[in-house]
């Protein structure tokens, strides 16, 4: 009798293992490292490869058959689901659910152990040291950030992490008690280290960087800001050994000379960002070499490198253009003239952020060259460029209508004509007019976009107070307002209550005239002025009447402070071109008092 052949059912299904290239991308965490242009862009091996390294056998057929459907999902799908969990406590609870879950989410929980308190640090150390732990936790740590506990971290504190040889990002910012011995112990054997941040470790010497050059050949980001004892010897070694370097910060490394920078220029072709702020011994030769060899360079900051002159840019070969360069900071490069600015614009047509603060020799001719950037220009700092006139600013606004931030501090020749033109910028977020003594209340009203009909002569408060009040009411997104030096405000105790504290490094005179409102202080100032029984601004009226408006305007108290407005324009519809310019401090913005 013919019998039908039974059909075999494979309960396991097809093999679910896949290459790491097809695995889903990991979650985005909220740590912003100095060396990344986007959050968490390292090639961490979270996923199937790491799980296989744990030598954990797959569940048996019987185990899978009795598990819920979600537990039978392929590892990469489970990892993708777990990657959407942002709470460490929730991830910990997932680890405790089952063996399958723990195998697939322990990596996410441990790749960046939380060391924000001393208690948390002790818990991490205890787990890493435990030889009987269920998982080899020391192999799972990929990012170690001890900067939150900087004052407590010493050479002894980091000893338990010596066995963590798979760290990719090591952040020791401001851990001033660390010496060469402590840092080297962490670096030794860490062949996969991609980024190292030892900002503010003044005791660190060339020994640490020599260890980096011997162990960290894949290094992509290095931040040694304020490591003043580092010299050319170790930096040259790093440049020659770590040829994948992309981001380098040497701020305030006063012993660095052209020898180091030239080694970086010739040996690190993938360089994207380099910061030489206040490296006073760097000269024109270094800048020319960096630009000529770094065709992928996106950010170059050489503020306060006082030896840089026009020659740094004029000697760039004529055929070269730098399509990738987006940010150029030349703060206080006092030897620069119009010829250098023209060359910069010709070779870098897609510049987005340009800082020429305190380049006192540049004139309207430079601004005319900058207008060629057109819609690419978002951020421009021309503070203390006192030779600039209204004509240049008006032309700049007409040509570069996507400007978000502009600083014209101490440009004494500017008048209301410039500010009224600036008020037409549709995307303007912030404007700096420190000590532009020819600016009057008309400019403030133009920025406030107050479309008010004349009504009556002003009574009581000065025109300036009324203009600021109008500005506050017509700019609900305003988050920063500096009125330093404006007597109508810093001499009033009731208004100073909403002002933030002056920086501790300010002189007595600077502290006396300091008047800056930020964040909630702006909102509280607006609310106070609106509730003040002595109204300083009438929402339905104007400060000028029909016949005497011009005469009164001529008597307006001149503005001697800065008006900073954030959020004056609408939200950007071209986010693919946008860059967050912050508050300007990172591009050389300085307090002007």
């Amino acid at each position: 009798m013919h019998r039908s052949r039974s059909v075999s059912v494979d309960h396991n299904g097809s093999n679910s293992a896949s290459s790491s290239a097809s695995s889903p991308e990991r979650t985005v965490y909220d740590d912003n490292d100095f060396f990344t242009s986007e959050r968490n862009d390292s090639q961490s091996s979270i996923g199937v490869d790491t799980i296989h390294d744990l030598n954990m056998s797959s569940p048996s057929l019987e185990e899978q058959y009795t598990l819920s459907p979600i537990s039978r999902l392929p590892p990469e799908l489970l990892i993708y689901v777990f990657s959407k969990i942002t709470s460490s406590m929730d991830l910990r609870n997932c680890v405790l659910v089952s063996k399958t879950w723990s195998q697939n989410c322990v990596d996410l929980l441990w790749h960046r152990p939380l060391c924000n308190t001393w208690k948390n640090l002790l818990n991490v150390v205890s787990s890493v040291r435990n030889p009987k732990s269920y998982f080899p936790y020391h192999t799972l740590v990929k990012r170690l950030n001890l900067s939150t506990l900087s004052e407590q971290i010493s050479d002894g504190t980091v000893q338990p992490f010596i066995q963590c040889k798979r760290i990719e990002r090591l952040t020791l910012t401001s851990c001033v008690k660390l010496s060469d011995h402590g840092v080297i112990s962490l670096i030794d054997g860490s062949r996969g280290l991609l980024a190292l941040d030892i900002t503010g470790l003044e005791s660190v010497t060339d020994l640490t960087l020599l260890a980096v050059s011997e162990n960290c050949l894949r290094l992509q980001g290095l931040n040694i800001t304020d490591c003043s004892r580092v010299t050319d010897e170790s930096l040259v070694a790093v440049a020659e050994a770590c040829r994948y370097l992309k981001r380098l910060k040497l701020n305030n490394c006063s012993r660095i000379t052209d020898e180091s920078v030239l080694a970086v220029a010739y040996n690190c072709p993938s360089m994207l960002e380099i910061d030489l702020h206040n490296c006073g011994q760097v000269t024109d030769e270094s800048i020319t070499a960096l630009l000529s060899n770094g065709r992928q360079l996106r950010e170059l900051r050489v503020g306060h490198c006082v030896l840089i002159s026009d020659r740094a840019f004029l000697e760039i070969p004529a055929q070269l253009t730098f399509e990738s360069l987006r940010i150029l900071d030349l703060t206080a490069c006092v030897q620069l003239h119009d010829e250098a600015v023209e060359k910069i614009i010709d070779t870098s047509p897609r510049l987005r952020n340009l800082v020429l603060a305190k380049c006192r020799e540049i004139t309207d001719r430079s601004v005319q060259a900058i207008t060629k950037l057109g819609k690419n220009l978002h951020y421009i700092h021309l503070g203390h460029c006192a030779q600039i006139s209204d004509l240049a600013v008006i032309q700049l606004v007409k040509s570069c209508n996507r400007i978000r931030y502009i600083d014209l501090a101490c440009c004494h020749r500017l008048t209301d004509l410039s500010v009224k033109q600036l008020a037409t910028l549709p995307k303007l977020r912030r404007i700096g007019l420190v000590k532009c003594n020819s600016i009057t209340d008309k400019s403030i009203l133009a920025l406030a976009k107050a479309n008010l009909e004349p009504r009556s002569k002003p009574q009581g408060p000065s025109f300036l107070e009324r203009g600021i009040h109008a500005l506050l009411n017509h700019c609900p997104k305003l988050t920063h307002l500096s009125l330093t030096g404006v007597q109508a405000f810093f001499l009033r105790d009731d208004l100073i209550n909403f002002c933030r504290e002056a920086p501790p490094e300010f002189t007595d005179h600077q502290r006396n005239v300091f008047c800056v409102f930020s964040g909630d202080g702006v909102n509280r100032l607006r609310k106070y002025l609106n509730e003040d029984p002595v109204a300083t601004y009438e929402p339905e009226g104007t400060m000028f009447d029909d016949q005497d408006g011009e005469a009164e305007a001529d008597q307006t108290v001149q503005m001697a402070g800065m008006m900073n407005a954030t959020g004056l324009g609408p939200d950007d519809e071209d986010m693919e071109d946008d860059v967050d310019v912050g508050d300007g401090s990172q591009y050389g913005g300085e307090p002007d008092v």
Side-chain angles (χ1 to χ4, degrees):
M1 179 179 177
H2 177 70
R3 289 181 295 181
S4 61
R5 182 176 299 174
S6 60
V7 179
S8 175
V9 179
D10 183 4
H11 294 284
N12 277 324
S14 59
N15 183 11
S16 61
S18 65
S19 66
S20 59
S22 63
S23 297
E25 188 177 353
R26 288 184 305 153
T27 186
V28 174
Y29 288 89
D30 58 350
D31 56 334
N32 283 310
D33 297 315
F34 81 94
F35 46 82
T36 58
S37 59
E38 295 181 0
R39 292 183 174 182
N40 304 322
D41 60 352
S42 72
Q43 301 300 316
S44 258
S45 54
I46 292 183
V48 178
D49 292 340
T50 303
I51 295 169
H52 286 174
D53 290 341
L54 300 177
N55 294 322
M56 307 292 281
S57 59
S58 299
S60 65
L61 178 63
E62 290 77 17
E63 288 177 323
Q64 285 202 40
Y65 191 79
T66 58
L67 292 176
S68 62
I70 191 172
S71 296
R72 295 200 295 271
L73 288 175
E76 49 266 43
L77 290 183
L78 280 174
I79 293 171
Y80 180 77
V81 172
F82 293 139
S83 70
K84 299 302 181 182
I85 301 175
T86 58
S87 168
S88 297
M89 185 57 66
D90 290 341
L91 276 174
R92 179 180 177 275
N93 292 335
C94 290
V95 170
L96 301 177
V97 170
S98 68
K99 183 185 294 185
T100 302
W101 280 34
S102 65
Q103 290 173 357
N104 289 289
C105 70
V106 67
D107 245 352
L108 294 168
L109 183 63
W110 269 87
H111 90 284
R112 183 174 58 96
L114 191 61
C115 300
N116 60 338
T117 66
W118 189 254
K119 180 180 178 180
N120 287 346
L121 179 62
L122 293 179
N123 290 335
V124 171
V125 168
S126 176
S127 298
V128 168
R129 278 180 164 176
N130 186 1
K132 298 181 180 180
S133 58
Y134 188 73
F135 292 102
Y137 295 114
H138 64 279
T139 67
L140 304 180
V141 179
K142 302 295 176 59
R143 302 179 189 176
L144 183 60
N145 188 337
L146 303 177
S147 59
T148 307
L149 301 173
S150 56
E151 296 182 357
Q152 299 170 271
I153 301 299
S154 64
D155 291 345
T157 311
V158 300
Q159 292 308 304
F161 296 103
I162 292 177
Q163 57 184 316
C164 300
K165 299 304 182 184
R166 300 184 66 182
I167 294 178
E168 295 177 349
R169 299 185 185 180
L170 180 59
T171 305
L172 303 171
T173 305
S174 301
C175 297
V176 293
K177 294 182 180 179
L178 281 176
S179 67
D180 284 325
H181 174 71
V183 181
I184 292 174
S185 65
L186 291 173
I187 293 173
D188 188 30
S190 297
R191 304 293 178 182
L193 191 66
L194 297 176
L196 174 64
D197 187 346
I198 51 174
T199 298
L201 274 63
E202 297 181 356
S203 61
V204 165
T205 67
D206 287 335
L207 294 176
T208 293
L209 291 192
L210 290 173
V212 170
S213 67
E214 295 171 1
N215 292 274
C216 311
L217 304 186
R218 296 175 56 200
L219 193 71
Q220 296 180 18
L222 177 63
N223 189 344
I224 58 170
T225 297
D226 295 325
C227 295
S228 55
R229 299 178 65 183
V230 172
T231 69
D232 289 332
E233 177 188 358
S234 59
L235 266 178
V236 170
V238 169
E240 293 176 347
C242 307
R243 294 177 177 265
Y244 298 105
L245 265 179
K246 294 182 179 180
R247 296 173 176 90
L248 181 62
K249 283 184 175 287
L250 306 177
N251 306 32
N252 302 318
C253 293
S254 55
R255 300 189 184 186
I256 300 304
T257 69
D258 286 337
E259 182 181 0
S260 297
V261 183
L262 291 173
V264 171
Y266 295 136
N267 292 285
C268 305
S270 301
M271 186 63 64
L272 299 177
E273 304 169 14
I274 185 166
D275 194 335
L276 301 172
H277 177 84
N278 205 29
C279 293
Q281 299 189 58
V282 173
T283 69
D284 295 334
E285 184 181 5
S286 293
I287 307 307
T288 304
L290 281 172
L291 289 171
S292 300
N293 294 277
R295 304 305 298 276
Q296 301 181 50
L297 195 65
R298 294 200 305 238
E299 300 182 18
L300 176 61
R301 295 183 173 92
V302 290
H304 295 274
C305 293
V306 294
L307 298 181
I308 294 176
S309 68
D310 295 340
R311 191 167 67 90
F313 303 97
L314 296 180
E315 294 191 356
I316 295 174
Q319 71 276 13
L320 288 183
T321 57
F322 312 113
E323 294 289 340
S324 298
L325 192 61
R326 295 292 185 273
I327 297 175
L328 180 61
D329 185 349
L330 298 169
T331 300
C333 293
V334 293
Q335 298 188 51
L336 291 183
H337 296 79
D338 293 330
E339 294 80 7
V341 177
E342 290 174 338
K343 179 68 172 182
I344 290 169
I345 301 304
D346 289 340
T347 56
S348 309
R350 302 190 66 186
L351 267 178
R352 186 168 292 171
N353 296 13
L354 179 60
V355 181
L356 295 170
K358 300 185 179 179
C359 296
R360 293 181 170 85
E361 299 300 322
I362 69 172
T363 68
D364 285 355
R365 179 179 164 189
S366 291
V367 180
Q368 185 65 37
I370 294 171
T371 60
K372 296 178 183 178
L373 295 175
K375 66 179 183 179
N376 293 317
L377 186 65
H378 290 180
Y379 179 110
I380 178 71
H381 198 319
L382 297 170
H384 295 268
C385 298
Q387 300 186 54
I388 294 175
S389 69
D390 284 331
L391 183 63
V393 174
I394 291 171
Q395 186 59 44
L396 179 67
V397 173
K398 290 180 178 179
S399 302
C400 306
N401 61 359
R402 291 192 179 185
I403 292 176
R404 274 81 162 164
Y405 181 116
I406 185 168
D407 197 317
L408 299 166
C410 300
C411 294
H412 304 297
R413 299 178 62 188
L414 300 185
T415 68
D416 290 335
L417 293 176
S418 291
V419 183
K420 289 179 179 179
Q421 191 67 41
L422 288 168
T424 65
L425 288 170
K427 296 180 180 295
L428 185 64
R429 293 177 179 173
R430 191 175 175 117
I431 179 172
L433 298 169
V434 172
K435 297 182 181 178
C436 293
N437 296 324
S438 298
I439 302 300
T440 71
D441 227 15
K442 284 186 175 182
S443 296
I444 303 176
L445 288 178
L447 289 169
K449 299 181 180 179
N451 186 17
L452 310 175
E453 296 180 359
R455 182 173 175 180
S456 61
K457 289 185 179 181
Q459 300 291 334
S462 71
F463 291 123
L464 183 58
E465 290 179 74
R466 298 167 65 89
I468 296 298
H469 194 179
L471 178 71
L472 289 168
N473 282 329
H474 283 266
C475 299
K477 294 183 179 180
L478 187 140
T479 60
H480 187 90
L481 178 65
S482 177
L483 298 171
T484 296
V486 181
Q487 295 185 9
F489 277 77
F490 77 80
L491 292 180
R492 286 186 55 177
D493 292 337
D494 57 334
L495 301 182
I496 288 297
N497 290 333
F498 310 114
C499 177
R500 75 183 190 193
E501 292 293 328
E505 64 271 16
F506 272 23
T507 64
D508 289 340
H509 169 69
Q510 290 174 324
R511 297 176 69 86
N512 289 337
V513 299
F514 183 81
C515 185
V516 177
F517 305 89
S518 292
D520 186 57
V522 175
N523 296 328
R524 292 189 294 123
L525 175 64
R526 180 189 294 112
K527 182 178 179 181
Y528 176 80
L529 291 177
N530 287 336
E531 294 176 351
D532 191 346
V534 181
T536 60
Y537 163 69
E538 298 179 23
E540 297 181 355
T542 182
M543 60 183 67
F544 306 118
D545 68 4
D546 293 317
Q547 298 178 352
D548 300 331
E550 292 300 323
E552 295 291 350
D554 293 336
Q555 301 173 10
T556 302
V557 179
Q558 292 186 338
M559 181 177 182
M562 179 175 74
M563 196 294 299
N564 276 336
T566 303
L568 293 179
D571 295 334
D572 296 326
E573 56 273 332
D574 56 340
M575 293 304 292
E576 69 277 7
D577 294 331
D578 202 9
V579 154
D580 183 9
V581 298
D583 63 358
S585 59
Q586 59 183 321
Y587 304 115
E590 296 180 357
D592 293 282
V593 178

